[in-house]
Amino acid sequence: AQSVTQPDIHITVSEGASLELRCNYSYGATPYLFWYVQSPGQGLQLLLKYFSGDTLVQGIKGFEAEFKRSQSSFNLRKPSVHWSDAAEYFCAGTLEDTGRRALTFGSGTRLQVQP
Amino acid sequence: EADIYQTPRYLVIGTGKKITLECSQTMGHDKMYWYQQDPGMELHLIHYSYGVNSTEKGDLSSESTVSRIRTEHFPLTLESARPSHTSQYLCASSQHTGLGNNSPLHFGNGTRLTVT
């Protein structure tokens, strides 16, 4: 079945440490892929997106993600986490060829940042 | 700066009441969506619209209904609220580029609904 999977429900890192959030997809072709962040009580904000071309994409707030076709992954990274990065992160992709083109979301990873 | 607005932000209502969740966007986007999100869970698409007078049901079965009389407005209605409808409802919109699936969604801040 076509799906987007985020294996880590909850991650805690220390401020200043590096971060990697995992995302895998299951789809017969290469999907368009996105990372969104949701701060408490807020809507979703787009961090970055991958359509084609360079497999390392840069986003806002110092985030980047790397698309790896061989691993069906699109992991999100940040070299040095700030306390304000504490939030829920959603990986998403378009996994269908129909005109609807709605996103399929992963279940999210909640990031806690320790001082 | 939000270009897509949802009201109310929070709603607590009794069983059996009729409710309408409002969603408006000022970006002129053709496509609009409603997602349902339970705490800590993934988002599920419950309704979407390609444009005026076009609405379709999404992946997750929902007892709600939607309408799209104007491009900028995509309200969601529950005729008779039940406790099982307690959830967060996120509205989103995107621009039809004609180039494929590559238009990201813009999300509202959501409506957190509690049915008692």
Coordinates of all heavy atoms in Angstrom, one line a residue, chain A residues 9 27 32 34 36 38 40-46 49 51 88 90 94-108 110, chain B residues 9-10 31 33 35 37 40-45 48 50 57-59 88 90 96 98-110:
Chain A
I9 N 8.2 8.1 17.0 CA 7.1 8.9 17.5 C 7.6 10.1 18.2 O 7.0 11.2 18.2 CB 6.2 8.0 18.3 CG1 5.6 6.9 17.5 CG2 5.1 8.8 19.0 CD1 4.9 5.9 18.3
Y27 N 5.9 3.8 -2.6 CA 5.2 4.2 -3.8 C 5.9 3.7 -5.0 O 7.2 3.6 -5.0 CB 5.1 5.8 -3.8 CG 4.3 6.4 -4.9 CD1 3.0 6.0 -5.2 CD2 4.9 7.4 -5.6 CE1 2.3 6.6 -6.2 CE2 4.2 8.0 -6.7 CZ 2.9 7.6 -6.9 OH 2.2 8.2 -7.9
Y32 N 6.4 13.5 -4.9 CA 6.8 14.8 -4.4 C 6.8 14.7 -2.9 O 5.8 14.2 -2.3 CB 5.9 15.9 -5.0 CG 6.0 16.0 -6.5 CD1 5.0 15.5 -7.3 CD2 7.1 16.6 -7.0 CE1 5.1 15.7 -8.7 CE2 7.2 16.8 -8.4 CZ 6.2 16.3 -9.2 OH 6.3 16.4 -10.6
F34 N 7.5 16.4 1.1 CA 7.5 17.6 1.9 C 7.8 17.3 3.3 O 7.5 16.2 3.8 CB 6.1 18.3 1.8 CG 5.6 18.5 0.4 CD1 5.0 17.5 -0.3 CD2 5.7 19.8 -0.2 CE1 4.5 17.7 -1.6 CE2 5.3 20.0 -1.5 CZ 4.6 18.9 -2.2
Y36 N 6.7 19.3 7.0 CA 6.0 20.3 7.6 C 6.3 20.3 9.1 O 6.6 19.2 9.7 CB 4.5 20.1 7.4 CG 4.0 20.4 6.0 CD1 3.9 19.5 5.1 CD2 3.5 21.7 5.7 CE1 3.5 19.7 3.8 CE2 3.0 22.0 4.5 CZ 3.0 21.0 3.5 OH 2.5 21.3 2.2
Q38 N 4.7 21.6 12.9 CA 3.5 22.1 13.6 C 3.9 22.5 15.0 O 4.1 21.6 15.8 CB 2.4 21.1 13.6 CG 1.1 21.6 14.1 CD 0.0 20.5 14.1 OE1 0.2 19.3 14.1 NE2 -1.3 21.0 14.0
P40 N 3.0 23.9 18.8 CA 1.8 23.8 19.6 C 0.7 24.8 19.4 O 1.0 26.0 19.4 CB 2.3 23.8 21.1 CG 3.7 23.4 20.9 CD 4.2 23.9 19.6
G41 N -0.5 24.4 19.1 CA -1.6 25.3 18.9 C -1.6 26.0 17.6 O -2.4 26.9 17.3
Q42 N -0.7 25.6 16.7 CA -0.6 26.3 15.4 C -0.9 25.4 14.3 O -1.0 24.1 14.5 CB 0.9 26.8 15.2 CG 1.3 27.8 16.3 CD 0.5 29.1 16.2 OE1 0.3 29.7 15.2 NE2 0.1 29.5 17.4
G43 N -1.0 25.9 13.1 CA -1.2 25.1 11.9 C 0.1 24.6 11.4 O 1.2 24.7 12.1
L44 N 0.1 24.0 10.3 CA 1.3 23.4 9.7 C 2.1 24.5 8.9 O 1.5 25.3 8.2 CB 1.0 22.2 8.8 CG 0.4 21.0 9.5 CD1 -0.1 20.0 8.5 CD2 1.5 20.4 10.4
Q45 N 3.4 24.4 8.9 CA 4.2 25.3 8.2 C 5.2 24.5 7.3 O 5.8 23.5 7.8 CB 5.0 26.3 9.1 CG 5.9 27.2 8.3 CD 6.7 28.1 9.3 OE1 7.0 27.7 10.4 NE2 7.2 29.3 8.8
L46 N 5.3 24.8 6.0 CA 6.2 24.1 5.1 C 7.6 24.4 5.5 O 8.0 25.6 5.5 CB 5.8 24.5 3.7 CG 6.7 23.8 2.6 CD1 6.4 22.3 2.6 CD2 6.5 24.4 1.3
K49 N 10.7 21.1 0.4 CA 10.0 20.3 -0.5 C 11.0 19.7 -1.5 O 12.1 20.3 -1.8 CB 8.9 21.0 -1.2 CG 9.4 22.2 -2.0 CD 8.3 23.1 -2.4 CE 8.8 24.3 -3.2 NZ 7.8 25.4 -3.3
F51 N 11.0 18.0 -5.4 CA 10.3 17.6 -6.6 C 11.1 16.7 -7.5 O 10.7 15.7 -8.0 CB 9.8 18.8 -7.4 CG 8.8 19.7 -6.6 CD1 8.8 21.0 -6.8 CD2 8.0 19.2 -5.6 CE1 8.0 21.9 -6.0 CE2 7.2 20.0 -4.9 CZ 7.1 21.3 -5.1
E88 N 6.1 19.4 16.5 CA 5.8 18.1 15.8 C 6.1 18.3 14.3 O 5.8 19.3 13.7 CB 4.3 17.8 16.0 CG 4.0 16.4 15.4 CD 3.3 15.5 16.4 OE1 2.8 16.0 17.4 OE2 3.4 14.3 16.2
F90 N 6.0 16.7 10.4 CA 5.3 15.7 9.6 C 6.0 15.7 8.2 O 6.2 16.7 7.6 CB 3.8 16.2 9.3 CG 2.9 16.0 10.5 CD1 2.8 17.1 11.5 CD2 2.2 14.9 10.8 CE1 2.0 16.9 12.6 CE2 1.4 14.7 11.9 CZ 1.3 15.8 12.8
T94 N 3.0 13.2 -2.2 CA 1.9 13.0 -3.1 C 2.1 11.6 -3.7 O 3.1 11.4 -4.4 CB 1.8 14.0 -4.2 OG1 3.1 14.1 -4.8 CG2 1.4 15.4 -3.7
L95 N 1.2 10.7 -3.4 CA 1.5 9.2 -3.7 C 0.4 8.8 -4.7 O 0.1 7.6 -4.8 CB 1.4 8.4 -2.5 CG 2.3 8.8 -1.3 CD1 2.2 7.8 -0.2 CD2 3.8 8.8 -1.8
E96 N -0.1 9.7 -5.5 CA -1.1 9.2 -6.5 C -1.0 10.1 -7.7 O -0.5 11.2 -7.7 CB -2.5 9.3 -5.9 CG -2.8 10.7 -5.4 CD -4.1 10.7 -4.7 OE1 -4.1 10.5 -3.4 OE2 -5.2 11.0 -5.3
D97 N -1.5 9.5 -8.8 CA -1.4 10.2 -10.1 C -2.7 10.9 -10.5 O -2.9 11.4 -11.6 CB -1.0 9.2 -11.2 CG 0.4 8.7 -11.0 OD1 1.2 9.5 -10.5 OD2 0.6 7.5 -11.2
T98 N -3.7 10.7 -9.6 CA -5.0 11.3 -9.9 C -5.0 12.8 -9.8 O -4.1 13.4 -9.2 CB -6.1 10.7 -9.0 OG1 -5.9 11.2 -7.7 CG2 -6.1 9.2 -9.0
G99 N -6.1 13.4 -10.3 CA -6.1 14.9 -10.2 C -6.2 15.4 -8.8 O -6.0 16.6 -8.6
R100 N -6.6 14.6 -7.9 CA -6.8 15.0 -6.5 C -5.5 15.6 -6.0 O -5.5 16.6 -5.4 CB -7.4 13.9 -5.6 CG -7.7 14.4 -4.2 CD -8.3 13.2 -3.4 NE -7.3 12.2 -3.1 CZ -7.6 11.2 -2.3 NH1 -8.8 11.1 -1.8 NH2 -6.7 10.3 -2.0
R101 N -4.5 14.8 -6.0 CA -3.1 15.2 -5.6 C -3.1 15.7 -4.2 O -2.4 16.7 -3.9 CB -2.6 16.2 -6.6 CG -2.4 15.6 -8.0 CD -2.2 16.6 -9.1 NE -2.2 16.0 -10.4 CZ -2.2 16.6 -11.5 NH1 -2.4 17.9 -11.6 NH2 -2.2 15.9 -12.7
A102 N -3.8 15.1 -3.4 CA -3.7 15.5 -2.0 C -2.5 14.8 -1.4 O -2.0 13.9 -1.9 CB -5.0 15.1 -1.2
L103 N -2.1 15.3 -0.3 CA -0.9 14.7 0.4 C -1.3 13.6 1.3 O -2.3 13.5 1.9 CB -0.2 15.8 1.3 CG 0.4 17.0 0.5 CD1 1.1 17.9 1.5 CD2 1.4 16.5 -0.5
T104 N -0.3 12.6 1.4 CA -0.4 11.6 2.4 C 0.6 11.9 3.4 O 1.8 12.1 3.1 CB -0.1 10.2 1.8 OG1 -1.0 9.9 0.8 CG2 -0.1 9.1 2.8
F105 N 0.2 12.0 4.7 CA 1.0 12.4 5.8 C 1.5 11.2 6.6 O 0.8 10.2 6.8 CB 0.3 13.3 6.7 CG 0.1 14.7 6.2 CD1 -0.9 15.0 5.3 CD2 1.0 15.7 6.5 CE1 -1.1 16.3 4.8 CE2 0.9 17.0 6.0 CZ -0.1 17.3 5.2
G106 N 2.7 11.3 7.1 CA 3.2 10.4 8.1 C 2.5 10.7 9.4 O 1.8 11.7 9.6
S107 N 2.7 9.9 10.4 CA 2.1 10.1 11.7 C 2.7 11.1 12.6 O 2.2 11.5 13.7 CB 2.0 8.7 12.5 OG 3.3 8.2 12.6
G108 N 3.8 11.6 12.2 CA 4.5 12.7 12.9 C 5.5 12.3 13.9 O 5.5 11.1 14.4
R110 N 7.4 13.9 17.3 CA 7.4 15.0 18.3 C 8.8 15.2 18.8 O 9.4 14.3 19.3 CB 6.5 14.7 19.5 CG 6.4 15.8 20.5 CD 5.3 15.7 21.5 NE 4.0 15.7 20.8 CZ 3.4 16.9 20.5 NH1 4.0 18.0 20.8 NH2 2.2 16.9 19.9
Chain B
R9 N -11.1 28.9 16.7 CA -9.9 28.1 17.0 C -10.2 27.0 17.9 O -9.7 25.9 17.8 CB -8.9 29.0 17.7 CG -8.2 30.0 16.8 CD -7.2 29.3 15.8 NE -6.3 28.4 16.4 CZ -5.1 28.8 16.9 NH1 -4.8 30.1 16.8 NH2 -4.3 28.0 17.4
Y10 N -11.1 27.2 18.8 CA -11.6 26.2 19.8 C -13.1 26.2 19.9 O -13.7 27.3 19.9 CB -11.0 26.4 21.2 CG -9.5 26.5 21.2 CD1 -8.8 27.7 21.1 CD2 -8.7 25.3 21.3 CE1 -7.5 27.8 21.2 CE2 -7.3 25.4 21.3 CZ -6.7 26.6 21.2 OH -5.4 26.7 21.3
K31 N -7.6 24.9 -5.2 CA -7.9 23.7 -4.4 C -7.9 24.0 -2.9 O -7.1 24.7 -2.4 CB -6.7 22.7 -4.7 CG -6.7 22.2 -6.2 CD -5.6 21.2 -6.3 CE -5.6 20.7 -7.8 NZ -4.5 19.7 -8.0
Y33 N -8.8 21.9 1.0 CA -8.8 20.6 1.6 C -9.2 20.7 3.1 O -8.9 21.7 3.7 CB -7.5 19.9 1.6 CG -6.8 19.9 0.2 CD1 -6.1 21.0 -0.2 CD2 -6.8 18.8 -0.6 CE1 -5.5 21.0 -1.5 CE2 -6.1 18.7 -1.8 CZ -5.5 19.9 -2.2 OH -4.8 19.8 -3.4
Y35 N -8.5 18.4 6.5 CA -7.9 17.3 7.1 C -8.3 17.2 8.6 O -8.6 18.2 9.2 CB -6.4 17.4 7.1 CG -5.7 17.3 5.8 CD1 -5.6 18.3 4.9 CD2 -5.2 16.0 5.4 CE1 -5.0 18.2 3.7 CE2 -4.6 15.9 4.1 CZ -4.5 16.9 3.3 OH -3.9 16.8 2.1
Q37 N -7.2 15.6 12.3 CA -6.0 15.1 13.0 C -6.3 14.8 14.5 O -6.7 15.7 15.2 CB -4.9 16.2 12.9 CG -3.6 15.7 13.6 CD -2.6 16.9 13.7 OE1 -3.0 18.0 13.6 NE2 -1.4 16.5 13.9
G40 N -1.5 13.5 18.2 CA -0.3 12.6 18.0 C -0.4 11.7 16.8 O 0.4 10.8 16.6
M41 N -1.5 11.9 16.1 CA -1.7 11.0 14.9 C -1.5 11.8 13.6 O -1.4 13.0 13.6 CB -3.1 10.4 15.0 CG -3.4 9.7 16.3 SD -2.3 8.2 16.5 CE -3.0 7.1 15.3
E42 N -1.5 11.0 12.5 CA -1.3 11.6 11.3 C -2.6 12.3 10.8 O -3.7 12.1 11.4 CB -0.9 10.6 10.2 CG -2.0 9.5 9.9 CD -1.8 8.3 10.8 OE1 -1.5 8.4 12.0 OE2 -1.9 7.2 10.2
L43 N -2.5 13.1 9.8 CA -3.6 13.8 9.2 C -4.3 12.9 8.3 O -3.7 12.1 7.5 CB -3.2 15.1 8.5 CG -2.7 16.2 9.4 CD1 -1.2 16.1 9.6 CD2 -3.0 17.5 8.8
H44 N -5.6 13.0 8.2 CA -6.4 12.2 7.3 C -7.2 13.2 6.4 O -7.9 14.1 7.0 CB -7.3 11.3 8.0 CG -6.6 10.1 8.7 ND1 -6.0 9.1 8.0 CD2 -6.3 9.9 10.0 CE1 -5.5 8.3 8.8 NE2 -5.6 8.7 10.0
L45 N -7.2 13.0 5.2 CA -8.0 13.9 4.3 C -9.5 13.5 4.4 O -9.8 12.3 4.2 CB -7.5 13.7 2.8 CG -8.2 14.5 1.8 CD1 -8.0 16.0 2.0 CD2 -7.8 14.1 0.4
Y48 N -12.2 17.5 -0.1 CA -11.3 18.4 -1.0 C -12.2 18.9 -2.1 O -13.3 18.5 -2.4 CB -10.1 17.6 -1.5 CG -10.4 16.5 -2.4 CD1 -10.4 16.6 -3.8 CD2 -10.7 15.2 -1.9 CE1 -10.6 15.5 -4.6 CE2 -11.0 14.1 -2.7 CZ -10.9 14.3 -4.1 OH -11.2 13.2 -4.9
Y50 N -11.8 21.1 -6.0 CA -10.9 21.6 -7.1 C -11.2 23.0 -7.4 O -10.4 23.7 -8.0 CB -11.1 20.8 -8.3 CG -10.7 19.4 -8.3 CD1 -11.4 18.3 -8.9 CD2 -9.4 19.0 -7.7 CE1 -11.0 17.0 -8.8 CE2 -9.0 17.7 -7.7 CZ -9.8 16.7 -8.2 OH -9.3 15.4 -8.2
K57 N -15.3 13.6 -1.4 CA -14.9 13.0 -0.1 C -13.5 12.5 -0.2 O -13.0 12.1 -1.2 CB -15.8 11.9 0.2 CG -17.2 12.4 0.6 CD -18.1 11.2 1.2 CE -19.4 11.7 1.7 NZ -19.3 12.7 2.8
G58 N -12.8 12.5 0.9 CA -11.4 12.1 1.0 C -11.3 10.7 1.4 O -12.2 9.9 1.3
D59 N -10.1 10.4 2.0 CA -9.8 9.0 2.4 C -10.5 8.5 3.6 O -10.9 7.3 3.7 CB -8.3 8.9 2.7 CG -7.4 9.2 1.5 OD1 -7.8 8.8 0.4 OD2 -6.4 9.9 1.6
Q88 N -9.0 17.6 15.9 CA -8.6 18.9 15.3 C -8.9 18.8 13.8 O -8.6 17.8 13.2 CB -7.2 19.1 15.6 CG -6.6 20.4 14.8 CD -5.5 21.1 15.5 OE1 -5.7 22.2 16.1 NE2 -4.3 20.5 15.4
L90 N -8.1 20.6 10.2 CA -7.2 21.6 9.6 C -7.6 21.8 8.1 O -7.9 20.8 7.4 CB -5.8 21.0 9.5 CG -5.0 21.1 10.9 CD1 -3.8 20.2 10.8 CD2 -4.5 22.5 11.1
H96 N -3.4 25.5 -8.2 CA -3.3 24.6 -9.3 C -2.3 25.2 -10.3 O -2.6 26.2 -10.9 CB -4.6 24.4 -10.0 CG -4.6 23.5 -11.2 ND1 -4.3 22.2 -11.2 CD2 -4.9 23.8 -12.5 CE1 -4.3 21.7 -12.4 NE2 -4.7 22.7 -13.2
G98 N -0.9 23.4 -12.9 CA -1.0 22.7 -14.2 C 0.3 22.0 -14.6 O 0.4 21.4 -15.6
L99 N 1.2 21.9 -13.6 CA 2.5 21.3 -13.9 C 2.6 20.0 -13.2 O 3.7 19.3 -13.2 CB 3.7 22.2 -13.5 CG 3.7 23.5 -14.2 CD1 4.8 24.4 -13.6 CD2 3.9 23.3 -15.7
G100 N 1.6 19.5 -12.5 CA 1.7 18.3 -11.7 C 1.4 18.4 -10.3 O 0.7 19.3 -9.9
N101 N 2.0 17.6 -9.5 CA 1.7 17.5 -8.1 C 2.5 18.4 -7.2 O 2.6 18.2 -6.0 CB 1.9 16.1 -7.6 CG 1.0 15.1 -8.3 OD1 0.1 15.5 -9.0 ND2 1.3 13.9 -8.2
N102 N 3.2 19.4 -7.7 CA 4.2 20.1 -6.9 C 3.8 21.4 -6.2 O 4.6 22.2 -5.9 CB 5.4 20.4 -7.8 CG 5.0 21.2 -9.0 OD1 3.8 21.5 -9.2 ND2 5.9 21.6 -9.9
S103 N 2.5 21.5 -6.0 CA 2.1 22.7 -5.3 C 1.9 22.4 -3.8 O 1.1 21.6 -3.4 CB 0.8 23.2 -5.8 OG 0.3 24.3 -5.1
P104 N 2.7 23.1 -2.9 CA 2.6 22.8 -1.5 C 1.3 23.3 -0.9 O 0.7 24.2 -1.5 CB 3.8 23.5 -0.9 CG 4.1 24.5 -1.8 CD 3.8 24.0 -3.2
L105 N 0.9 22.7 0.2 CA -0.3 23.2 0.8 C 0.0 24.3 1.8 O 1.0 24.4 2.4 CB -0.9 22.1 1.6 CG -1.4 20.8 0.9 CD1 -2.0 19.8 1.8 CD2 -2.4 21.2 -0.2
H106 N -1.0 25.2 1.9 CA -0.9 26.3 2.9 C -2.0 25.9 3.9 O -3.2 25.7 3.5 CB -1.2 27.6 2.3 CG -0.2 28.1 1.4 ND1 0.8 29.0 1.7 CD2 0.1 27.7 0.1 CE1 1.6 29.2 0.7 NE2 1.2 28.4 -0.3
F107 N -1.6 25.8 5.2 CA -2.6 25.4 6.2 C -3.0 26.5 7.1 O -2.3 27.4 7.4 CB -1.9 24.3 7.1 CG -1.8 23.0 6.5 CD1 -0.7 22.6 5.7 CD2 -2.8 22.0 6.7 CE1 -0.6 21.4 5.1 CE2 -2.7 20.8 6.1 CZ -1.6 20.4 5.3
G108 N -4.3 26.4 7.5 CA -4.8 27.3 8.6 C -4.3 26.8 9.9 O -3.6 25.7 10.0
N109 N -4.6 27.5 11.0 CA -4.2 27.1 12.3 C -5.1 26.0 13.0 O -4.7 25.5 14.1 CB -4.1 28.3 13.2 CG -2.9 29.2 13.0 OD1 -1.9 28.7 12.5 ND2 -3.1 30.5 13.2
G110 N -6.1 25.6 12.3 CA -6.9 24.5 12.8 C -8.0 25.0 13.7 O -8.0 26.0 14.3

